[in-house]
Amino acid sequence: MSVLGLEAERTAGSAHIAPVAGIGLPDGHELWRYRDLLYFLALRDLKTRYRQTVVGVAWVVIQPLAMMSVFWLFFGELLGLQSEGLPFPLFVYPALLAWNYLSGALNEGALSVTSHAHLVGKVYFPRLVLPLTGLVTGCVDLAVASVLLIVLAGAYGVAPGPEILALPLFAALLLLLTAGVSIWLSALNVAYRDVRYAMPFLLQLWFFLTPVFYSSTILTGPWRAVYRVNPMASLVEGFRWSLTGETAAPALSLLPAALVALLLLVSGLLYFQRAERSFADVV
Amino acid sequence: MRAATSAPGPLVRPADAGQLPGTSPRIVVEGLGKRYRRGAAHRRESLKERLGEILGLPGPRRDEDDGQFWALRGVGFSAGAGEAIGVIGRNGSGKSTLLRLLARVTAPTEGSACLHGTVGALLEAGAGFHDELTGRENVFLSGAILGMRRKEVASRFDDIVAFAEVGPWLDSPMKQYSSGMYLRLAFSIGVHMESDILLADEVLAVGDLSCQDRCLRRMEEAARSGRTVLLVSHNLESVARLCPRTIYLDGGRLKLDGPTEQVVAAYRADLATGQVGEDPSHVAG
């Protein structure tokens, strides 16, 4: 009915409303129709996050820079942890980029449904855009924080080799993994508010189980295999390897990592889709 | 009367109420019902409780049937293109639940509804407005939340702003807006959304009289241009002006469905004699 012909973009089909049961995956077509919402929510978060801060977007760089400096000083210089032949800052920073993407997106995503309770109870839209918004804003933060990596690489004279071609693969896996965990946590947090309190602590544990400031080569024997259950271990090493070309490539260990990431995503989508029905009543 | 009425009252039987001849109905609602558990919004099951349940530990016992009530039950009606229908009833009669179900905010417990065409729902003015963002930014954000594409909002942007009369403030943060400006902008986005079906809840209660008047006129235009409008309101004058047909809900049941004049008169009579059903939230289901 629109003269501008814009209506065709929205489905002119009919909606059948009935009690829902069983399990299934979220409607991908509908999510796609709401892609502008994802864009504007991410834009809102980016704008409001920095509009009232003094140094603004510099926070995105200051935080990993400070962390890297502390690791460098304590673990590199004082404790003398080995860094697989790389200068310590360059050893830590690529891994930190990957880790910060995950933790940043989870911090946003886990509380996303509950923090939008007023919307969830009043407006229909695919609720899945809420935990996904943090993935988008995280990409912007990651891009800004990457500037420092270029500075570091230049300072130490380390140029990435052909390994960098593998970076999109690691980035994609990181995206899948982060999406899976974020979707899980956001839906869980509606039913169990414990998530909010457990998450900082669990993230911290996870961080120590991920080779960000140490090299996984310090692990020996069967521990190496057990360690690989953590998909972040292989992803972080993948980032490090593809960006510097110096460290060992996470070749076969990438398979279990990809499997875990995929499993988390699919199960997360199934759980979210099921839990979503009562969001408006419970949240 | 399609819905079972438990309470006797002056029945008005619409002959397939108001449906335009030769058009298939836009909205078909059959036996729609929604059961809530009282306090569900306040009682958050903690992980500890759940774990206790799984392990069989004694915990705070919960009677499963306790506090369940039907906010809406057995409601059925249909509406055609170009129809404007008012929905009236006391607080807690199920009006908002009906709209929330039709807007797909929540799923029904039983029954079904079919909506043919695009649906625009205005259940809350200013959905998703963020105080730190400017009016301009909020128009796009709120539009997206209501299901509009960016291009759609952009093409109607000038109309939205003109209707809301917030031109000079467009690039100021919304926290500097007066409540009137805030609500005008909120409503303006909603009514400029092109949809075949418009669901509106109490939105006319906002703004001053001139604003209410323009909002009503806007909805009249919507109905005239072939859209189906469902208006929930406590303002019987607004309903009478906009809607030729009205649905009267009482205690979660459809009590009357017919010409507004008769339905509103029956409702007024019920109010005067106190002949209205119990608020379902006080009745154990």
Side-chain angles (χ1 to χ4, degrees):
Chain A
M1 50 185 290
S2 165
V3 221
L4 298 150
L6 293 164
E7 220 52 43
E9 291 263 356
R10 233 189 283 159
T11 47
S14 56
H16 183 73
I17 296 163
V20 273
I23 57 169
L25 288 170
D27 183 348
H29 285 288
E30 190 170 60
L31 196 62
W32 178 244
R33 273 195 294 120
Y34 274 84
R35 61 192 181 277
D36 283 353
L37 175 57
L38 191 60
Y39 169 79
F40 282 113
L41 284 177
L43 200 63
R44 174 200 67 185
D45 287 352
L46 289 169
K47 279 178 173 168
T48 55
R49 188 151 18 126
Y50 301 117
R51 195 161 277 181
Q52 291 209 315
T53 55
V54 180
V55 292
V57 79
W59 275 118
V60 180
V61 181
I62 291 172
Q63 193 247 0
L65 177 65
M67 276 174 88
M68 182 204 71
S69 305
V70 169
F71 293 146
W72 182 16
L73 181 66
F74 284 91
F75 298 117
E77 296 298 315
L78 297 177
L79 282 172
L81 286 186
Q82 66 112 334
S83 52
E84 300 185 44
L86 276 173
F88 207 82
L90 214 49
F91 174 76
V92 170
Y93 203 76
L96 212 47
L97 284 181
W99 176 264
N100 279 353
Y101 179 78
L102 175 90
S103 71
L106 292 190
N107 275 322
E108 301 271 321
L111 308 181
S112 59
V113 176
T114 43
S115 67
H116 289 86
H118 56 290
L119 278 186
V120 169
K122 290 284 185 185
V123 190
Y124 172 78
F125 57 89
R127 278 70 169 95
L128 205 54
V129 298
L130 295 174
L132 295 185
T133 302
L135 300 186
V136 179
T137 54
C139 285
V140 177
D141 292 347
L142 181 69
V144 175
S146 297
V147 173
L148 190 60
L149 180 70
I150 298 169
V151 174
L152 281 176
Y156 285 103
V158 175
E163 297 87 357
I164 199 156
L165 294 175
L167 187 63
L169 171 70
F170 299 117
L173 280 177
L174 179 65
L175 197 73
L176 286 188
L177 176 69
T178 311
V181 181
S182 187
I183 289 166
W184 257 112
L185 291 178
S186 65
L188 274 176
N189 189 47
V190 176
Y192 312 108
R193 300 302 161 111
D194 309 64
V195 170
R196 178 189 202 122
Y197 304 103
M199 205 184 55
F201 152 76
L202 290 175
L203 266 180
Q204 209 167 21
L205 277 186
W206 197 358
F207 177 74
F208 287 116
L209 292 173
T210 302
V212 174
F213 62 84
Y214 59 89
S215 162
S216 69
T217 53
I218 60 172
L219 289 153
T220 50
W223 291 112
R224 289 187 73 91
V226 175
Y227 193 71
R228 290 298 157 195
V229 173
N230 172 13
M232 269 312 266
S234 306
L235 288 183
V236 150
E237 286 177 341
F239 265 71
R240 185 180 283 144
W241 168 72
S242 65
L243 284 167
T244 65
E246 298 274 339
T247 54
L252 269 181
S253 65
L254 215 54
L255 217 61
L259 211 65
V260 172
L262 209 63
L263 209 69
L264 278 169
L265 182 62
V266 173
S267 60
L269 286 172
L270 290 172
Y271 177 68
F272 192 94
Q273 169 75 2
R274 215 185 128 72
E276 178 183 55
R277 292 168 207 154
S278 58
F279 278 176
D281 303 334
V282 179
V283 84
Chain B
M1 205 93 268
R2 257 146 294 180
T5 35
S6 47
L11 294 188
V12 185
R13 257 170 220 282
D16 253 338
Q19 207 173 295
L20 300 180
T23 58
S24 59
R26 279 264 179 75
I27 306 177
V28 180
V29 179
E30 278 166 355
L32 204 62
K34 175 74 181 177
R35 187 180 56 209
Y36 281 109
R37 197 183 292 167
R38 191 183 355 258
H42 309 293
R43 185 176 49 220
R44 265 149 206 160
E45 208 176 359
S46 81
L47 196 57
K48 189 176 121 199
E49 247 174 81
R50 184 91 180 90
L51 280 177
E53 250 173 56
I54 293 166
L55 298 173
L57 298 177
R61 279 281 303 157
R62 226 185 265 142
D63 195 343
E64 277 306 312
D65 292 332
D66 172 55
Q68 293 202 338
F69 69 95
W70 290 90
L72 196 75
R73 193 154 204 199
V75 168
F77 65 92
S78 64
E83 259 201 286
I85 303 178
V87 181
I88 61 171
R90 294 194 331 161
N91 285 328
S93 59
K95 307 186 296 292
S96 297
T97 303
L98 175 63
L99 239 55
R100 277 158 58 90
L101 290 173
L102 294 183
R104 290 202 289 163
V105 168
T106 186
T109 313
E110 60 177 34
S112 69
C114 273
L115 303 178
H116 302 281
T118 57
V119 180
L122 271 180
L123 271 58
E124 190 180 51
F129 274 1
H130 194 292
D131 277 354
E132 297 290 336
L133 297 180
T134 66
R136 184 189 302 276
E137 290 164 339
N138 270 311
V139 167
F140 281 94
L141 175 62
S142 191
I145 288 170
L146 292 173
M148 281 192 263
R149 299 297 318 280
R150 190 185 344 180
K151 285 184 290 183
E152 246 180 301
V153 181
S155 71
R156 300 191 185 121
F157 189 80
D158 295 339
D159 292 340
I160 292 173
V161 174
F163 185 89
E165 297 174 336
V166 292
W169 294 82
L170 209 51
D171 290 305
S172 310
M174 289 280 284
K175 60 184 171 188
Q176 295 172 5
Y177 281 37
S178 73
S179 57
M181 286 157 59
Y182 187 98
L183 290 168
R184 284 204 303 275
L185 188 58
F187 185 79
S188 184
I189 298 166
V191 291
H192 284 87
M193 174 170 45
E194 292 267 323
S195 61
D196 301 326
I197 298 166
L198 177 64
L199 310 170
D201 191 351
E202 294 288 352
V203 283
L204 297 178
V206 307
D208 52 29
L209 280 176
S210 96
C211 178
Q212 283 186 25
D213 187 60
R214 278 184 304 141
C215 294
L216 265 179
R217 226 177 301 153
R218 181 81 204 179
M219 289 216 225
E220 279 172 336
E221 282 167 29
R224 259 204 307 276
S225 67
R227 298 167 76 181
T228 302
V229 180
L230 219 62
L231 172 72
V232 162
S233 181
H234 280 292
N235 187 336
L236 297 179
E237 280 75 36
S238 301
V239 171
R241 180 177 147 190
L242 179 66
C243 312
R245 174 182 164 198
T246 292
I247 287 172
Y248 168 17
L249 293 176
D250 187 28
R253 300 260 177 189
L254 193 152
K255 191 167 184 183
L256 286 175
D257 175 355
T260 297
E261 211 175 302
Q262 298 170 43
V263 175
V264 166
Y267 177 55
R268 281 190 204 279
D270 282 356
L271 282 179
T273 57
Q275 273 261 328
V276 281
E278 289 279 314
D279 181 335
S281 58
H282 300 308
V283 183

